Amino acid sequence: MASDPGFGTRGGRPHRVAIREVAEHAGVAVSSVSRVISGHPDVSETMREKVMKAIDELGFVPGLAAQSIRTGATKTIGFVISDIRNPLLAEIAHAAETRLRMRGYTLLMMSSLHDPELEADHLRRLAQHRVEGLLVSVTDEQNPETVGLLARAGVPVVLLDRDIPDLPTASAARFDHAGGLTAAVRHLADLGHRSIGLVGGSPHTRPSREREQALHRVVAELPGVTARVHGGDFAKEHGAKATYALLTGEDRPTALIAGSNQILVGVLSALAELPYEIPRDLSLVTCDDAPMAAFLRPRLATIRRDVARIGRESADLLLEALAGAPPRSIELPTRFDRAGSCAAPPPSPPPSPSPDR
DNA sequence: ATTCATGCTGACTGCGTGTT
DNA sequence: AACACGCAGTCAGCATGAAT
């Protein structure tokens, strides 16, 4: 039995066992080997065993590239997200991959690192790989190059929590960010908070826009309550900077909402340097769980979403589109979990930190 | 005679490379 | 520039031989 299936060298160049060699080794025709490999019904048990024995002894692995030449099918799906190192996105990818693998597809994952140029480059590369479908969470919904590449992709596209009106051919799986955020703000207002700060993410993506719009909408319905938003990147650096700006400026909020798990890390790092104790001096709510957040005391009030579900559902939308169904969109809920990090605001304004940092 | 498993042949696929 | 070829496997259609 070969130790490394399908690999070897011949004269310094890579040599892979071909179907012809399997046929010769088994003493059968190439077409018979092909029938065995593809599970054709007209194959006797003796023939199957003979071929499988040769395949095993030679370590043959059918070449997907060669298969795709004839069939036109690569059984590969392109998956582009901002950063595969983000545990939240890793969970989405895992759920989607599991779903697609069950249907014989391989996922080709790429991180755009919030860089539209790199993202466009990935999309072009995936086209070269002849992927049969795309799962994409774009960095900038308005970027003409990205939108153009997706429009011309010629394969089904599913957007992950993104809105691109110029791309009506794409399906989409989105979260109702407004629902969870509205519940959180109402809870804070019920506790007595009158100034709420949101450390938002990129304005070029749907989740940030939805949250910001929802915040202004709900605040408009709550007499005496104001909101301040600091948008930026989905990054801890922005989280720290914006927190510092919000808490050291005029009209300091008594409650803060962190717009993502990466932003939360920055928010917490800024709070570690500022004289605020949670929840005594400041109420804190986060959007999405962070890996270590479960060990924080008090527990963090969190706007949660089922990320594994959006992974599964987006994979299903893509499978549906691959089967010829027209594009469609779905919306999944977000839920506010209140916890110890929220309390009534302090009777006097929160302590004023020293201006030097 | 019929059925089934198997073999054989040639077309076919997209792309890069070599030849005319 | 145009054309031919090789790559590695799939596929369809037909031929063949053995078993029922």
mmCIF file with all atom_site columns, all heavy atoms in Angstrom, chain A residues 253-264:
data_model
loop_
_atom_site.group_PDB
_atom_site.id
_atom_site.type_symbol
_atom_site.label_atom_id
_atom_site.label_alt_id
_atom_site.label_comp_id
_atom_site.label_asym_id
_atom_site.label_entity_id
_atom_site.label_seq_id
_atom_site.pdbx_PDB_ins_code
_atom_site.Cartn_x
_atom_site.Cartn_y
_atom_site.Cartn_z
_atom_site.occupancy
_atom_site.B_iso_or_equiv
_atom_site.pdbx_formal_charge
_atom_site.auth_seq_id
_atom_site.auth_comp_id
_atom_site.auth_asym_id
_atom_site.auth_atom_id
_atom_site.pdbx_PDB_model_num
ATOM 1  N N   . PRO A 1 253 ? -21.193 59.769 27.663 1.00 0.00 ? 253 PRO A N   1
ATOM 2  C CA  . PRO A 1 253 ? -22.270 58.804 27.804 1.00 0.00 ? 253 PRO A CA  1
ATOM 3  C C   . PRO A 1 253 ? -22.132 58.027 29.115 1.00 0.00 ? 253 PRO A C   1
ATOM 4  O O   . PRO A 1 253 ? -21.018 57.857 29.627 1.00 0.00 ? 253 PRO A O   1
ATOM 5  C CB  . PRO A 1 253 ? -22.097 57.882 26.599 1.00 0.00 ? 253 PRO A CB  1
ATOM 6  C CG  . PRO A 1 253 ? -20.683 58.044 26.172 1.00 0.00 ? 253 PRO A CG  1
ATOM 7  C CD  . PRO A 1 253 ? -20.247 59.408 26.596 1.00 0.00 ? 253 PRO A CD  1
ATOM 8  N N   . THR A 1 254 ? -23.262 57.563 29.638 1.00 0.00 ? 254 THR A N   1
ATOM 9  C CA  . THR A 1 254 ? -23.217 56.725 30.840 1.00 0.00 ? 254 THR A CA  1
ATOM 10 C C   . THR A 1 254 ? -23.353 55.258 30.466 1.00 0.00 ? 254 THR A C   1
ATOM 11 O O   . THR A 1 254 ? -23.256 54.385 31.319 1.00 0.00 ? 254 THR A O   1
ATOM 12 C CB  . THR A 1 254 ? -24.358 57.105 31.806 1.00 0.00 ? 254 THR A CB  1
ATOM 13 O OG1 . THR A 1 254 ? -25.604 57.005 31.092 1.00 0.00 ? 254 THR A OG1 1
ATOM 14 C CG2 . THR A 1 254 ? -24.172 58.521 32.328 1.00 0.00 ? 254 THR A CG2 1
ATOM 15 N N   . ALA A 1 255 ? -23.606 55.027 29.188 1.00 0.00 ? 255 ALA A N   1
ATOM 16 C CA  . ALA A 1 255 ? -23.677 53.646 28.703 1.00 0.00 ? 255 ALA A CA  1
ATOM 17 C C   . ALA A 1 255 ? -22.989 53.572 27.350 1.00 0.00 ? 255 ALA A C   1
ATOM 18 O O   . ALA A 1 255 ? -23.087 54.490 26.540 1.00 0.00 ? 255 ALA A O   1
ATOM 19 C CB  . ALA A 1 255 ? -25.131 53.197 28.575 1.00 0.00 ? 255 ALA A CB  1
ATOM 20 N N   . LEU A 1 256 ? -22.288 52.468 27.127 1.00 0.00 ? 256 LEU A N   1
ATOM 21 C CA  . LEU A 1 256 ? -21.515 52.302 25.896 1.00 0.00 ? 256 LEU A CA  1
ATOM 22 C C   . LEU A 1 256 ? -21.907 50.987 25.226 1.00 0.00 ? 256 LEU A C   1
ATOM 23 O O   . LEU A 1 256 ? -22.086 49.965 25.891 1.00 0.00 ? 256 LEU A O   1
ATOM 24 C CB  . LEU A 1 256 ? -20.031 52.265 26.293 1.00 0.00 ? 256 LEU A CB  1
ATOM 25 C CG  . LEU A 1 256 ? -19.018 52.911 25.344 1.00 0.00 ? 256 LEU A CG  1
ATOM 26 C CD1 . LEU A 1 256 ? -19.407 54.354 25.047 1.00 0.00 ? 256 LEU A CD1 1
ATOM 27 C CD2 . LEU A 1 256 ? -17.631 52.840 25.956 1.00 0.00 ? 256 LEU A CD2 1
ATOM 28 N N   . ILE A 1 257 ? -22.003 51.043 23.906 1.00 0.00 ? 257 ILE A N   1
ATOM 29 C CA  . ILE A 1 257 ? -22.258 49.818 23.139 1.00 0.00 ? 257 ILE A CA  1
ATOM 30 C C   . ILE A 1 257 ? -21.068 49.585 22.216 1.00 0.00 ? 257 ILE A C   1
ATOM 31 O O   . ILE A 1 257 ? -20.726 50.463 21.414 1.00 0.00 ? 257 ILE A O   1
ATOM 32 C CB  . ILE A 1 257 ? -23.562 49.924 22.306 1.00 0.00 ? 257 ILE A CB  1
ATOM 33 C CG1 . ILE A 1 257 ? -24.752 50.216 23.230 1.00 0.00 ? 257 ILE A CG1 1
ATOM 34 C CG2 . ILE A 1 257 ? -23.793 48.643 21.513 1.00 0.00 ? 257 ILE A CG2 1
ATOM 35 C CD1 . ILE A 1 257 ? -26.061 50.504 22.491 1.00 0.00 ? 257 ILE A CD1 1
ATOM 36 N N   . ALA A 1 258 ? -20.440 48.422 22.353 1.00 0.00 ? 258 ALA A N   1
ATOM 37 C CA  . ALA A 1 258 ? -19.314 48.071 21.477 1.00 0.00 ? 258 ALA A CA  1
ATOM 38 C C   . ALA A 1 258 ? -19.864 47.375 20.234 1.00 0.00 ? 258 ALA A C   1
ATOM 39 O O   . ALA A 1 258 ? -20.596 46.396 20.336 1.00 0.00 ? 258 ALA A O   1
ATOM 40 C CB  . ALA A 1 258 ? -18.340 47.155 22.217 1.00 0.00 ? 258 ALA A CB  1
ATOM 41 N N   . GLY A 1 259 ? -19.482 47.887 19.049 1.00 0.00 ? 259 GLY A N   1
ATOM 42 C CA  . GLY A 1 259 ? -20.095 47.451 17.798 1.00 0.00 ? 259 GLY A CA  1
ATOM 43 C C   . GLY A 1 259 ? -19.640 46.131 17.218 1.00 0.00 ? 259 GLY A C   1
ATOM 44 O O   . GLY A 1 259 ? -20.133 45.714 16.177 1.00 0.00 ? 259 GLY A O   1
ATOM 45 N N   . SER A 1 260 ? -18.712 45.456 17.866 1.00 0.00 ? 260 SER A N   1
ATOM 46 C CA  . SER A 1 260 ? -18.306 44.127 17.394 1.00 0.00 ? 260 SER A CA  1
ATOM 47 C C   . SER A 1 260 ? -17.366 43.499 18.415 1.00 0.00 ? 260 SER A C   1
ATOM 48 O O   . SER A 1 260 ? -16.917 44.180 19.341 1.00 0.00 ? 260 SER A O   1
ATOM 49 C CB  . SER A 1 260 ? -17.589 44.202 16.041 1.00 0.00 ? 260 SER A CB  1
ATOM 50 O OG  . SER A 1 260 ? -16.238 44.575 16.224 1.00 0.00 ? 260 SER A OG  1
ATOM 51 N N   . ASN A 1 261 ? -17.050 42.234 18.213 1.00 0.00 ? 261 ASN A N   1
ATOM 52 C CA  . ASN A 1 261 ? -16.160 41.581 19.179 1.00 0.00 ? 261 ASN A CA  1
ATOM 53 C C   . ASN A 1 261 ? -14.738 42.128 19.116 1.00 0.00 ? 261 ASN A C   1
ATOM 54 O O   . ASN A 1 261 ? -14.053 42.225 20.124 1.00 0.00 ? 261 ASN A O   1
ATOM 55 C CB  . ASN A 1 261 ? -16.198 40.053 19.025 1.00 0.00 ? 261 ASN A CB  1
ATOM 56 C CG  . ASN A 1 261 ? -15.819 39.593 17.636 1.00 0.00 ? 261 ASN A CG  1
ATOM 57 O OD1 . ASN A 1 261 ? -15.688 40.395 16.703 1.00 0.00 ? 261 ASN A OD1 1
ATOM 58 N ND2 . ASN A 1 261 ? -15.652 38.293 17.470 1.00 0.00 ? 261 ASN A ND2 1
ATOM 59 N N   . GLN A 1 262 ? -14.294 42.538 17.892 1.00 0.00 ? 262 GLN A N   1
ATOM 60 C CA  . GLN A 1 262 ? -12.943 43.124 17.805 1.00 0.00 ? 262 GLN A CA  1
ATOM 61 C C   . GLN A 1 262 ? -12.928 44.489 18.478 1.00 0.00 ? 262 GLN A C   1
ATOM 62 O O   . GLN A 1 262 ? -11.978 44.848 19.179 1.00 0.00 ? 262 GLN A O   1
ATOM 63 C CB  . GLN A 1 262 ? -12.495 43.304 16.350 1.00 0.00 ? 262 GLN A CB  1
ATOM 64 C CG  . GLN A 1 262 ? -12.577 42.073 15.482 1.00 0.00 ? 262 GLN A CG  1
ATOM 65 C CD  . GLN A 1 262 ? -13.688 42.219 14.460 1.00 0.00 ? 262 GLN A CD  1
ATOM 66 O OE1 . GLN A 1 262 ? -14.847 42.335 14.830 1.00 0.00 ? 262 GLN A OE1 1
ATOM 67 N NE2 . GLN A 1 262 ? -13.346 42.228 13.182 1.00 0.00 ? 262 GLN A NE2 1
ATOM 68 N N   . ILE A 1 263 ? -14.015 45.248 18.230 1.00 0.00 ? 263 ILE A N   1
ATOM 69 C CA  . ILE A 1 263 ? -14.118 46.580 18.841 1.00 0.00 ? 263 ILE A CA  1
ATOM 70 C C   . ILE A 1 263 ? -14.159 46.463 20.360 1.00 0.00 ? 263 ILE A C   1
ATOM 71 O O   . ILE A 1 263 ? -13.543 47.251 21.083 1.00 0.00 ? 263 ILE A O   1
ATOM 72 C CB  . ILE A 1 263 ? -15.366 47.325 18.300 1.00 0.00 ? 263 ILE A CB  1
ATOM 73 C CG1 . ILE A 1 263 ? -15.128 47.709 16.830 1.00 0.00 ? 263 ILE A CG1 1
ATOM 74 C CG2 . ILE A 1 263 ? -15.694 48.554 19.132 1.00 0.00 ? 263 ILE A CG2 1
ATOM 75 C CD1 . ILE A 1 263 ? -16.340 48.280 16.128 1.00 0.00 ? 263 ILE A CD1 1
ATOM 76 N N   . LEU A 1 264 ? -14.845 45.418 20.838 1.00 0.00 ? 264 LEU A N   1
ATOM 77 C CA  . LEU A 1 264 ? -14.950 45.210 22.291 1.00 0.00 ? 264 LEU A CA  1
ATOM 78 C C   . LEU A 1 264 ? -13.562 45.101 22.946 1.00 0.00 ? 264 LEU A C   1
ATOM 79 O O   . LEU A 1 264 ? -13.339 45.650 24.031 1.00 0.00 ? 264 LEU A O   1
ATOM 80 C CB  . LEU A 1 264 ? -15.751 43.933 22.582 1.00 0.00 ? 264 LEU A CB  1
ATOM 81 C CG  . LEU A 1 264 ? -15.798 43.524 24.055 1.00 0.00 ? 264 LEU A CG  1
ATOM 82 C CD1 . LEU A 1 264 ? -16.618 44.518 24.878 1.00 0.00 ? 264 LEU A CD1 1
ATOM 83 C CD2 . LEU A 1 264 ? -16.356 42.109 24.223 1.00 0.00 ? 264 LEU A CD2 1
#
